Amino acid sequence: MSLSETLSKNERLSDEQRECIENCTEAVEVTEWCADECLGSEEMEECARLCRDVADVASLHARLMARGSNYSTQLAQACAGACEECAEECRRHDADHCQTCAEVLDDCAETCRSMAA
């Protein structure tokens, strides 16, 4: 069963929340990949650090949204900010994993911003 199918069974989630959870989950996956690829390169240390931050924040945000936590709105703002900062850093590097990461993080930041509003 896909994530989308699983989320559709949670009746208390809006379509926007489902999309944000999916985007956060994708952000976790891509930032973990990007951070792993950046390891060992001194010039990529900041990228790896920011990616790890996003992975942690996005994972927590997705979990809080899924359970209807009262804290998910505040975390949405933090997640959007972390995604934007990391995407900016990723765009500074030519590596495919960094460019892919930046694209995914743009979508995540956008949906998180709408959840924070």
Side-chain angles (χ1 to χ4, degrees):
M1 185 178 302
S2 72
L3 177 60
S4 185
E5 292 169 333
T6 303
L7 290 174
S8 70
K9 294 180 184 291
N10 188 337
E11 295 173 0
R12 71 174 161 205
L13 294 174
S14 68
D15 289 342
E16 293 80 16
Q17 289 170 315
R18 285 185 186 97
E19 180 182 14
C20 191
I21 291 171
E22 287 180 27
N23 286 345
C24 284
T25 302
E26 187 176 14
V28 170
E29 292 172 7
V30 75
T31 54
E32 289 288 1
W33 169 50
C34 189
D36 190 60
E37 292 294 320
C38 291
L39 290 176
S41 172
E42 198 171 305
E43 69 186 49
M44 303 292 270
E45 283 181 8
E46 183 65 11
C47 190
R49 278 190 197 100
L50 291 170
C51 281
R52 292 177 67 207
D53 286 349
V54 168
D56 290 343
V57 172
S59 174
L60 179 58
H61 184 229
R63 293 189 329 260
L64 291 179
M65 276 193 300
R67 66 179 172 237
S69 171
N70 292 333
Y71 299 101
S72 64
T73 301
Q74 293 96 331
L75 196 54
Q77 188 71 25
C79 190
C83 286
E84 289 165 353
E85 185 177 1
C86 187
E88 184 179 316
E89 175 64 27
C90 282
R91 282 191 189 84
R92 295 181 184 157
H93 307 287
D94 291 331
D96 287 340
H97 56 87
C98 286
Q99 296 304 309
T100 300
C101 190
E103 289 177 29
V104 169
L105 293 181
D106 287 340
D107 291 339
C108 187
E110 183 180 331
T111 55
C112 286
R113 286 261 178 243
S114 72
M115 291 292 99

